[in-house]
Amino acid sequence: MAAKRSGKQSKRSPREVVPLPAEPETRNEPPLSLERIVATAVELLDAEGIDGLKMRRLADRLGAGAMSLYWHVGNKEQVFDLALDSVLAYREPSQMGEPPGWRGDVVHMLEDWRAVMLRHPWSAALLPRRALGPNILGRLELVSRTLSEAGVAETDLNVAIWSLWNYVIGATVTRASFDLSDDDRAAAQHRLTALSEHYPTIARARLLLDSDWDGTFRKGLDFLLDGLSPAP
Amino acid sequence: MAAKRSGKQSKRSPREVVPLPAEPETRNEPPLSLERIVATAVELLDAEGIDGLKMRRLADRLGAGAMSLYWHVGNKEQVFDLALDSVLAYREPSQMGEPPGWRGDVVHMLEDWRAVMLRHPWSAALLPRRALGPNILGRLELVSRTLSEAGVAETDLNVAIWSLWNYVIGATVTRASFDLSDDDRAAAQHRLTALSEHYPTIARARLLLDSDWDGTFRKGLDFLLDGLSPAP
DNA sequence: ACCTGAACACCGTTCAAGT
DNA sequence: ACCTGAACACCGTTCAAGT
């Protein structure tokens, strides 16, 4: 019926071949802290995906007793919230050339946004279920201010921001989920043969195969910006 | 640090006040079947959210022994996959007025898509982690065919479809996640006072407050379609 | 072919206690 | 203030067995 994706077993194979013995945490660790916990959680998520983040495993990696985390964190949910937002910290671009104008700024911010989330694919899957942390809000603020200063009318600002936001989130979420699906090429290939019969148009366009993700992202973004641009 | 959202406890309160005693499943049930399992899973997800779907609970609701599901399903993951895709079945519109042309068709399909997912908010949160089932692919095919017939060039088709898809997914995911956040008004309000200082622009635009979601969705969609329209 | 309960492994979290 | 292990509740899944 539904396209399968090999639930538990195949996941993100390369990293799991060697079970990584939690590192030789012999030398005494620095004391536990929210920062260390969050940073290590991000590491774990990068290496093992969402389901790989277990409180005990996280504590292990930190060289701490299994339950020590709960003095700092209160919740596993909170770990997710903090990890997600921490990854989305925005670093101002290191001054590469002249300021390219508001449109270039916006494109840069949004491409950076997308790039960060693709570097941590779990973040895209996590975002829909989490609250907006300060870094996410900070990015929103930055885009908003840029658009506002560029002359987008107050009344159009919400439409503009949400349209862009929606687009970026959607593009990232989609892209990340395709990366996962491709884990098992076999299934994907099988799905594609079935496709040619039932879904001729997308099969013909090779929609699922050779999409130019980056280029597509950029083009759709340009369409939106065309529409949103303040009247000159 | 990160904006909190009261992890487990507040969830979707109204439905949990009465613990609903699994219904008086006295009369003998129809036999188990994939269809019944999936339909009941959707019920459960609607009522209790993603975390509310437990295999035992699902079996209970079906009046079956706890482990009977595993003859039909193999996996909890598979239940998720099937539930997601089942919700996205597309029913052709019941002939309301004249055919409004390709653009109207596309708008209708995408608004329907979004509406369905908003009716089952868990679906938006689930989508990023799941494979594309036949119904999802069917919807993609329908949009693709419409655009293709409308004269969108073969080379632009992928850009067109992905841009629209990204936009719809993003809009839905965002909207659904905001509905959840609003569960606890207190926290949201508190967040907003902090906002006015740190995020003046989005606070001024009241971005998080009185956004006209439906209108915004439609406007952004129109911008995209403007850009994607085949040259006349 | 279809369903079942007992049992296992695992995991988040509480708690009472340590330093 | 900070960390800990034992213990509990819960849940997905295996298995050997029923009909």
Side-chain angles (χ1 to χ4, degrees):
Chain A
M1 287 255 138
K4 277 145 233 169
R5 215 186 61 231
S6 67
K8 288 268 160 78
Q9 49 279 40
S10 84
K11 270 292 141 59
R12 11 190 71 251
S13 19
R15 251 94 163 211
E16 283 186 348
V17 174
V18 176
L20 60 134
E23 293 200 350
E25 313 270 20
T26 38
R27 67 249 146 182
N28 42 2
E29 302 283 325
L32 237 37
S33 70
L34 241 201
E35 290 76 43
R36 279 193 70 226
I37 291 176
V38 174
T40 309
V42 170
E43 273 177 42
L44 234 183
L45 285 165
D46 285 346
E48 320 251 7
I50 291 186
D51 296 328
L53 179 57
K54 321 263 164 90
M55 293 303 269
R56 289 176 222 249
R57 208 112 81 99
L58 182 53
D60 258 21
R61 272 216 172 196
L62 287 158
M67 299 298 97
S68 310
L69 303 179
Y70 284 92
W71 196 88
H72 302 265
V73 184
N75 239 347
K76 188 181 177 182
E77 307 269 312
Q78 216 178 97
V79 177
F80 277 132
D81 283 338
L82 293 171
L84 175 63
D85 199 64
S86 96
V87 145
L88 287 168
Y90 184 65
R91 281 165 268 288
E92 293 281 341
S94 55
Q95 191 89 15
M96 20 145 63
E98 315 300 274
W102 72 268
R103 183 152 170 160
D105 285 343
V106 169
V107 169
H108 175 271
M109 288 182 225
L110 298 182
E111 285 190 327
D112 174 82
W113 198 333
R114 171 167 173 272
V116 168
M117 297 195 78
L118 289 182
R119 228 173 294 136
H120 308 279
W122 49 271
S123 66
L126 225 43
L127 189 62
R129 300 185 65 186
R130 309 268 126 226
L132 287 68
N135 284 328
I136 301 180
L137 288 171
R139 281 176 185 260
L140 272 175
E141 169 72 15
L142 212 54
V143 175
S144 303
R145 200 194 321 150
T146 307
L147 288 174
S148 179
E149 288 170 0
V152 172
E154 195 79 3
T155 45
D156 297 337
L157 201 53
N158 282 352
V159 174
I161 297 165
W162 282 132
S163 296
L164 292 172
W165 160 280
N166 290 342
Y167 183 77
V168 173
I169 298 305
T172 310
V173 153
T174 301
R175 174 65 208 275
S177 98
F178 267 80
D179 275 352
L180 289 182
S181 300
D182 283 359
D183 267 11
D184 26 2
R185 302 272 173 190
Q189 210 56 33
H190 174 273
R191 204 163 32 189
L192 276 176
T193 43
L195 277 181
S196 3
E197 306 161 26
H198 294 283
Y199 315 101
T201 315
I202 57 184
R204 181 154 31 89
R206 301 176 63 79
L207 182 67
L208 268 39
L209 273 185
D210 43 27
S211 298
D212 166 22
W213 296 102
D214 297 348
T216 298
F217 176 76
R218 184 56 202 273
K219 277 178 204 156
L221 185 53
D222 275 330
F223 291 148
L224 278 177
L225 288 172
D226 288 343
L228 296 167
S229 286
Chain B
M1 286 257 137
K4 279 144 231 167
R5 215 186 63 230
S6 65
K8 287 268 158 79
Q9 49 280 39
S10 83
K11 273 292 143 60
R12 15 190 67 252
S13 18
R15 251 94 162 211
E16 284 188 347
V17 175
V18 176
L20 58 134
E23 293 200 351
E25 312 268 20
T26 39
R27 66 248 144 181
N28 42 2
E29 301 283 325
L32 236 39
S33 71
L34 242 200
E35 290 75 43
R36 278 193 71 224
I37 291 175
V38 174
T40 310
V42 170
E43 273 177 43
L44 233 183
L45 285 164
D46 285 346
E48 320 252 5
I50 291 185
D51 296 328
L53 180 56
K54 322 263 164 85
M55 293 303 270
R56 290 176 222 251
R57 207 113 81 98
L58 182 52
D60 258 20
R61 272 217 175 195
L62 286 158
M67 298 299 98
S68 311
L69 303 179
Y70 284 90
W71 196 89
H72 302 264
V73 185
N75 239 347
K76 188 183 177 180
E77 307 268 312
Q78 214 179 97
V79 177
F80 278 132
D81 283 338
L82 294 170
L84 175 63
D85 199 65
S86 95
V87 145
L88 286 169
Y90 184 65
R91 282 164 267 289
E92 293 281 341
S94 55
Q95 192 87 20
M96 21 146 64
E98 316 299 276
W102 73 269
R103 184 153 170 159
D105 285 343
V106 169
V107 169
H108 175 270
M109 288 181 224
L110 298 182
E111 285 191 327
D112 174 82
W113 198 335
R114 173 168 173 269
V116 167
M117 297 195 78
L118 289 183
R119 228 173 293 136
H120 308 278
W122 49 272
S123 66
L126 225 40
L127 189 62
R129 299 185 66 186
R130 308 269 126 223
L132 287 68
N135 285 328
I136 301 180
L137 288 171
R139 281 177 185 258
L140 272 175
E141 169 71 14
L142 211 55
V143 175
S144 302
R145 200 194 320 151
T146 307
L147 289 174
S148 180
E149 288 170 359
V152 172
E154 194 81 2
T155 45
D156 297 337
L157 201 53
N158 282 352
V159 174
I161 296 164
W162 282 133
S163 295
L164 292 172
W165 160 281
N166 289 342
Y167 183 77
V168 173
I169 298 305
T172 309
V173 153
T174 302
R175 174 64 208 275
S177 98
F178 266 81
D179 275 353
L180 289 182
S181 300
D182 284 357
D183 267 11
D184 27 1
R185 302 273 173 189
Q189 210 56 35
H190 174 273
R191 202 163 32 189
L192 276 176
T193 42
L195 278 181
S196 3
E197 306 162 25
H198 296 282
Y199 314 102
T201 314
I202 57 184
R204 181 153 32 88
R206 301 177 63 79
L207 183 66
L208 268 39
L209 274 184
D210 44 27
S211 298
D212 166 22
W213 297 101
D214 296 348
T216 298
F217 176 76
R218 183 57 201 274
K219 276 178 205 155
L221 186 53
D222 275 330
F223 291 148
L224 278 178
L225 288 171
D226 287 344
L228 296 167
S229 286

